[in-house]
Amino acid sequence: MRFNKNIAFSSALKIIASSIIGVSSSLSAQTYPNKPITIVVPFNPGGDADQSARNLAIVAQNVLKQSIIISNKGGASGAIGSQFVKDAAPDGYTLLMARVGSQVVLPAMKSDLSYKWNDFTFIGLLELNPVVCVVHPDSPYKTFDDLTKAISSQPGKLNYSSSGPGTILNFGPQLILQTLKLKPEAAINVSYKGGSEAVVAVLAKEVDFSCGNLTSALTQISSGKLRALVVTTPERVKEIPTVPTAKEVGMPQLEAIVGWSALYGPPKLSPEVVNKWIEVLAIADKDANWQAGNVRYGGIPRILSPIDTEKFAASQYVSYSKLSTQLGIK
């Protein structure tokens, strides 16, 4: 057999190139991050996801010694920003502030959505956000019972703000209507761009009530600009201790409606990058400023590992799949 020098030389070059790429990748992971990191918020500024991202960014910048850029890419109930991150390079410089609506509710309801609930790299759950139903302080509805009696006695008269059909802000009122054995149109949905806009609609008396994440409404509730009627947590929320729970008002079914934030990355994000962010989240979990930030916007800290975050998201996906079928929301 004749020895082909050209083939041997070519093979040697491939081996060298492969080694260089491997060393380069290893060095890149070891030096991560060496430039600013963008966290994409798939909703408008001022809402739950935005506040969660900015709260995390403060800690992350101190730990990683790099700037964290918050990029709001709202639209399509969070699908536009989520898809942007799914398509991003898996180098750790573009991450997603994942939310219940964009990451499990939409995938549970839309079979033609361009991404699935598990099409991302799970990094860690950050916090839970109780859902709270609110009215304007001038509203005649002083209690949750007042509100439900008004809806039942005047079907189709009252309206509520949400961030669109099929979002968590729509699930709460629809579950209330179903529990009251009323039709979906017994209270009229008025859609806004996001959770913060839905709250403003109540403040402006454009709608009668809204059931959204406490994150968007806590400041207004604390200052007396909104009246909270019920929270969806099993226990009362310490920041608003006088507000009864869903179970206390006789509607424990509402406990199924809860918001949350998590940090995701594009598919195939390197383990080195994930591990670096695990370190960041572990530090955040013990950071007094991060904890205080959660309190300010109504988040309940709940840092989970990537594996436990995936399990949590999976259980949420199953829950909202069942709810969307039961409520007929598509």
Side-chain angles (χ1 to χ4, degrees):
M1 176 182 289
R2 295 181 62 187
F3 180 70
N4 190 318
K5 292 182 178 180
N6 289 333
I7 294 177
F9 182 68
S10 176
S11 298
L13 283 178
K14 289 180 180 178
I15 292 172
I16 292 171
S18 177
S19 299
I20 291 173
I21 292 173
V23 171
S24 175
S25 298
S26 177
L27 288 174
S28 176
Q30 290 173 10
T31 57
Y32 174 85
N34 54 28
K35 61 180 181 179
I37 299 165
T38 296
I39 296 180
V40 173
V41 176
F43 298 96
N44 289 346
D48 319 305
D50 185 65
Q51 293 185 69
S52 182
R54 294 180 191 280
N55 192 35
L56 176 63
I58 295 171
V59 180
Q61 287 177 155
N62 292 334
V63 177
L64 299 174
K65 308 303 180 186
Q66 285 290 343
S67 298
I68 305 295
I69 300 168
I70 305 301
S71 176
N72 295 90
K73 294 186 181 295
S77 299
I80 292 174
S82 298
Q83 184 64 44
F84 180 86
V85 174
K86 183 194 171 188
D87 295 337
D91 56 9
Y93 292 99
T94 303
L95 303 175
L96 176 68
M97 183 50 56
R99 286 293 298 180
V100 56
S102 52
Q103 266 44 71
V104 296
V105 175
L106 273 183
M109 296 191 310
K110 288 179 63 68
S111 59
D112 60 345
L113 192 66
S114 57
Y115 59 87
K116 295 181 174 59
W117 73 271
N118 57 352
D119 272 349
F120 301 85
T121 299
F122 298 92
I123 297 175
L125 187 73
L126 300 176
E127 84 276 336
L128 301 177
N129 305 121
V131 167
V132 59
C133 293
V134 297
V135 296
H136 193 277
D138 293 341
S139 168
Y141 315 121
K142 308 296 184 185
T143 65
F144 185 72
D145 188 54
D146 290 341
L147 178 64
T148 56
K149 284 181 178 177
I151 296 172
S152 298
S153 63
Q154 306 172 82
K157 181 178 179 181
L158 275 66
N159 56 18
Y160 64 93
S161 57
S162 81
S163 48
T167 62
I168 194 169
L169 280 78
N170 189 40
F171 266 92
Q174 285 299 310
L175 186 54
I176 291 171
L177 297 177
Q178 185 197 59
T179 305
L180 294 173
K181 295 182 168 51
L182 297 172
K183 294 180 178 180
E185 60 273 16
I188 308 303
N189 172 60
V190 182
S191 297
Y192 292 81
K193 290 182 178 180
S196 56
E197 289 87 348
V199 168
V200 171
V202 182
L203 292 169
K205 299 183 180 181
E206 294 174 3
V207 295
D208 296 298
F209 71 101
S210 187
C211 296
N213 291 312
L214 180 59
T215 309
S216 296
L218 181 59
T219 300
Q220 289 83 359
I221 294 170
S222 300
S223 63
K225 294 179 180 178
L226 288 176
R227 178 187 299 135
L229 304 181
V230 66
V231 291
T232 63
T233 43
E235 300 84 24
R236 293 196 180 197
V237 177
K238 63 180 180 180
E239 286 75 32
I240 46 173
T242 61
V243 180
T245 67
K247 188 177 295 182
E248 288 175 326
V249 299
M251 202 171 283
Q253 299 90 332
L254 280 178
E255 290 182 4
I257 310 296
V258 63
W260 50 265
S261 297
L263 189 65
Y264 285 9
K268 300 180 180 179
L269 190 63
S270 76
E272 291 83 4
V273 171
V274 174
N275 288 335
K276 178 63 70 173
W277 276 97
I278 290 175
E279 293 175 17
V280 173
L281 298 189
I283 292 172
D285 200 24
K286 298 177 181 179
D287 184 88
N289 291 327
W290 183 78
Q291 295 278 352
N294 274 278
V295 171
R296 281 195 301 273
Y297 62 74
I300 300 174
R302 188 69 59 87
I303 299 290
L304 293 182
S305 69
I307 292 176
D308 287 338
T309 298
E310 183 173 3
K311 290 179 181 177
F312 174 80
S315 67
Q316 283 276 285
Y317 174 74
V318 171
S319 294
Y320 280 101
S321 294
K322 292 179 179 178
L323 270 177
S324 67
T325 299
Q326 292 172 3
L327 298 175
I329 300 175
K330 292 294 180 184

